[in-house]
Amino acid sequence: MCDSLIARGDSVVCADNLSTGRRSNIAHLTTAPEFTFVRADVAAELPVAGPVDAVVHLASPASPPDYHRMPLETLAVGSRGTELALELAHRSGARFVLASTSEVYGDPLVHPQHEDYWGNVNPVGPRSIYDEAKRYAEAATAAYRRHLGTDTGVVRIFNTYGPRMRPHDGRVVTSFIAQALNGDPLTVYGDGSQTRSFCYVDDLVRGIVAMLDSAEPGPVNLGNPQERTVLELAALVLRLTGADSPVEFHPLPVDDPTRRRPVITRAQQVLGWSPLVSTEEGLARTVRYFRDRPDEVAAARAALAGGQLDGEPAVDRAAAA
Ligand code: UDP
């Protein structure tokens, strides 16, 4: 996002507490006079001086192992963090865009998912820290628009991947690529028949920038409708890496959505946006990025082994109790 805005001549203040982000991802920008990095937890403060034309609120852990490790922080950044970002936009007269998520649809009973579907979320399940925080963030954004007249827009982001993710991120694309490159088994949760639709990062960023430049309130789904089962993704990663790793089956996390595919008609109509990068091409680019960083990928080995990432509940303890 920062690269894209700087490239078109905007000045950017990037605020991040680096709880899941990495300074190295923006290292090439730090010499640009138009770029400022502020290390801050936006759930506590959003210290931005000077005039602001636009606020994009992307802050939140997004990988399930990360939000399980930081449950209260995830709730805080979706609630208080969203309010602080909205306040900044409102007092600056700026356009505000919220990065919401396909997780607001929960384990969807309607397939594929269009924006008018209200979702099927377990409010007390292990994923609710993320899902409900984002649902609250949407409600707060709608309230600022409705009651205060703030110029807001909501995008619902479906599974996104690409270069600059951490090999130990824990989401399926990076896990499979790192496992394949390390010659380790690919950890498939459940029987691998659950589906996702994977969008390449450059396509997503183009969609968010289009939302920023529009007056559209949304919500607007942003995702690539090429739907695949997790087993099909594993096979594709093995083909692209040339690895002969076996597939290893592990328990399905509690409330793991069984299927997910965006309807993107609204994005096409109001933003003129469609994804351009096929899953094969995007995965090939991501594999190249990881191949160029063998030490980082090797270092992720222990974290990815056995499909048990730190903080991820292997069973739903509340339900078990
Ligand atoms: N998944 C998997 N193996 C992994 C990580 C994830 O089979 O090592 C599955 C996970 O259970 C889910 C899908 O892949 O069905 C996508 O998971 P991810 O964490 O990437 O995203 P999300 O669940 O938030 O869509």
Side-chain angles (χ1 to χ4, degrees):
M1 174 63 72
C2 294
D3 279 349
S4 164
L5 295 174
I6 293 284
R8 71 178 200 172
D10 291 331
S11 296
V12 176
V13 180
C14 167
D16 195 320
N17 67 355
L18 301 178
S19 61
T20 64
R22 293 185 296 185
R23 229 179 243 276
S24 57
N25 285 347
I26 50 162
H28 59 287
L29 289 173
T30 47
T31 52
E34 305 80 16
F35 183 78
T36 309
F37 175 68
V38 177
R39 185 163 185 172
D41 176 357
V42 307
E45 53 168 351
L46 194 37
V48 179
V52 173
D53 301 314
V55 177
V56 190
H57 178 31
L58 296 151
S60 178
S63 173
D66 283 334
Y67 61 70
H68 291 314
R69 189 166 51 80
M70 296 182 280
L72 302 184
E73 293 88 339
T74 303
L75 285 164
V77 76
S79 54
R80 188 66 189 135
T82 303
E83 290 164 6
L84 288 181
L86 279 163
E87 275 165 34
L88 172 65
H90 183 69
R91 73 168 178 268
S92 309
R95 167 83 170 156
F96 174 87
V97 170
L98 170 71
S100 184
T101 169
S102 55
E103 287 279 332
V104 302
Y105 302 123
D107 190 4
L109 303 175
V110 168
H111 190 76
Q113 293 78 54
H114 55 79
E115 291 89 346
D116 296 329
Y117 176 48
W118 291 352
N120 177 40
V121 172
N122 176 355
V124 293
R127 295 177 87 97
S128 65
I129 44 181
Y130 184 72
D131 301 5
E132 296 291 15
K134 289 287 188 180
R135 287 172 70 98
Y136 174 80
E138 288 202 17
T141 304
Y144 266 71
R145 183 179 190 90
R146 189 172 291 123
H147 299 290
L148 300 176
T150 315
D151 176 13
T152 65
V154 173
V155 292
R156 292 185 179 150
I157 300 171
F158 284 63
N159 296 63
T160 297
Y161 68 94
R164 299 192 199 160
M165 288 177 82
R166 301 156 300 162
H168 61 279
D169 175 275
R171 276 171 285 181
V172 68
V173 170
T174 45
S175 292
F176 283 0
I177 293 176
Q179 287 162 343
L181 294 180
N182 285 329
D184 290 333
L186 270 51
T187 53
V188 169
Y189 299 166
D191 63 6
S193 64
Q194 69 273 32
T195 69
R196 294 292 185 274
S197 306
F198 297 100
C199 184
Y200 188 66
V201 60
D202 290 5
D203 278 333
L204 177 77
V205 167
R206 203 167 33 79
I208 298 175
V209 171
M211 188 62 164
L212 203 55
D213 290 344
S214 80
E216 174 63 32
V220 174
N221 287 339
L222 292 178
N224 187 327
Q226 284 188 306
E227 183 181 2
R228 280 191 167 73
T229 67
V230 166
L231 268 184
E232 285 167 350
L233 176 74
L236 188 53
V237 168
L238 290 177
R239 179 159 67 73
L240 291 169
T241 54
D244 59 1
S245 298
V247 163
E248 200 176 77
F249 291 94
H250 292 269
L252 188 68
V254 176
D255 292 343
D256 197 276
T258 43
R259 55 196 179 159
R260 189 181 281 160
R261 170 157 57 99
V263 173
I264 60 165
T265 319
R266 190 177 289 177
Q268 288 166 329
Q269 285 172 352
V270 301
L271 303 177
W273 178 88
S274 291
L276 300 174
V277 181
S278 68
T279 312
E280 285 84 350
E281 173 58 26
L283 285 175
R285 290 185 202 174
T286 312
V287 168
R288 278 202 292 280
Y289 175 85
F290 275 38
R291 266 198 210 287
D292 287 344
R293 289 159 182 79
D295 294 347
E296 263 182 48
V297 173
R301 206 166 184 181
L304 297 176
Q308 295 300 324
L309 283 146
D310 274 357
E312 185 172 5
V315 292
D316 183 350
R317 292 190 185 83

